[in-house]
Amino acid sequence: MERIAFFDTKPYDRQYFDAANQKHGFEIKYFSTRLNEDSVSLAEGYDALCAFVNDDLSAPVIHRLEEMGIRVVGLRSAGFNHVDLSAAFGHVHMVRVPAYSPYAVAEHAAALILSLNRKTHRAYYRTRDNNFSINGFVGFDMHGKTAGIIGTGRIGLTLIKILRGFGMEVLAYDARPKSGADTEYSFRYVDLDDLYRRSDIISLHCPLTPETHHLIGSEALRKMKRDVMIINTSRGPLVDTGALLDALKEGRI
């Protein structure tokens, strides 16, 4: 019987993988801890490992997995920026999720936009105290505003379709623009500077690579409109957190 060690697991992981495993009969051990150099020894005696986006699959961890006889690592994600592919090549086989519902992430991004705009999260707590004042909760009409989408993969295009339904103008940037997508989804490709300058809402939908690391930094933030809304449902390091906090404290975003 094959034995699989799962790292950084949540209750919903167990629910769905246990159900899927009924027809396979693998022996699964769920660890709530994240995989790193200190916790990798927990995988001793297993044949395979399943990791998530915050697990550490750097060279030292991969070499230790190989020493323990781990033959394959399955990623519960499409992204693989947390994997040292050079260290893994020829040593431990890596597989990833090829695709998943673009609607889930795109709809979540739209929910974040609506929550920030109409202060839904703050209103929830206020009404729990029987305070129904709308002071400070006034947002803006999304209709007629401009959204800037960085990354026009399946998720980015799905969000564009949603935002067009709100009556927004949509600008987009992609290092590899998709031919015909702008016509099909009714948006315009522009360069990043133009997108930063004209967008009321900016949403990130691109992978984390050396080129996109801290894509949103102090220089980019200075080019944006005052009170711009920034939504990031991609990898955290796309945004320079220090620069973002400075802009928030200064009331610029």
Side-chain angles (χ1 to χ4, degrees):
M1 179 185 296
E2 297 291 320
R3 305 181 71 216
I4 307 173
F6 277 63
F7 281 81
D8 193 18
T9 57
K10 305 296 187 294
Y12 54 79
D13 289 312
R14 302 184 184 205
Q15 175 187 348
Y16 288 107
F17 280 100
D18 280 346
N21 190 41
Q22 288 182 4
K23 60 182 179 181
H24 299 291
F26 296 122
E27 182 182 335
I28 296 177
K29 176 67 175 181
Y30 297 103
F31 297 104
S32 59
T33 186
R34 292 177 180 174
L35 178 67
N36 53 45
E37 290 187 62
D38 295 325
S39 64
V40 66
S41 59
L42 293 172
E44 185 75 55
Y46 290 88
D47 305 295
L49 184 146
C50 188
F52 198 40
V53 294
N54 291 314
D55 288 316
D56 176 7
L57 284 160
S58 57
V61 174
I62 290 173
H63 293 155
R64 182 72 181 108
L65 292 175
E66 183 184 23
E67 290 173 358
M68 291 189 293
I70 298 292
R71 302 191 299 271
V72 61
V73 173
L75 305 178
R76 302 195 305 280
S77 62
F80 50 88
N81 57 278
H82 54 309
V83 180
D84 188 326
L85 295 177
S86 297
F89 185 76
H91 298 277
V92 178
H93 192 60
M94 296 282 170
V95 295
R96 67 185 179 101
V97 177
Y100 44 78
S101 169
Y103 303 102
V105 181
E107 289 170 7
H108 180 63
L112 292 176
I113 292 171
L114 291 168
S115 293
L116 283 177
N117 182 23
R118 298 298 178 181
K119 318 298 188 295
T120 309
H121 54 302
R122 293 171 56 196
Y124 170 77
Y125 287 104
R126 185 177 290 185
T127 55
R128 288 184 66 186
D129 294 328
N130 293 319
N131 181 349
F132 299 98
S133 168
I134 63 170
N135 186 44
F137 289 171
V138 178
F140 57 84
D141 288 352
M142 292 171 60
H143 187 278
K145 292 293 192 296
T146 300
I149 306 300
I150 301 178
T152 54
R154 296 173 68 227
I155 295 172
L157 290 176
T158 301
L159 181 61
I160 287 173
K161 189 173 182 180
I162 292 171
L163 298 182
R164 287 292 296 151
F166 281 105
M168 298 191 74
E169 178 187 359
V170 179
L171 308 175
Y173 170 82
D174 198 302
R176 299 176 181 83
K178 291 178 171 54
S179 178
D182 49 348
T183 301
E184 181 180 355
Y185 288 85
S186 300
F187 68 90
R188 283 185 290 161
Y189 278 116
V190 296
D191 61 35
L192 275 176
D193 283 350
D194 199 17
L195 185 146
Y196 293 151
R197 180 176 58 84
R198 298 173 57 190
S199 298
D200 301 292
I201 299 170
I202 295 174
S203 190
L204 306 179
H205 300 280
C206 50
L208 178 61
T209 66
E211 292 74 28
T212 61
H213 183 264
H214 285 181
L215 178 68
I216 304 299
S218 56
E219 183 178 350
L221 289 165
R222 283 194 295 269
K223 297 175 182 177
M224 296 177 189
K225 287 184 177 183
R226 192 172 186 86
D227 294 328
V228 65
M229 181 188 296
I230 300 174
I231 302 293
N232 182 16
T233 52
S234 298
R235 295 293 186 261
L238 292 173
V239 180
D240 182 339
T241 303
L244 181 69
L245 289 173
D246 288 341
L248 285 166
K249 290 174 182 178
E250 295 166 9
R252 291 190 284 113
I253 64 171

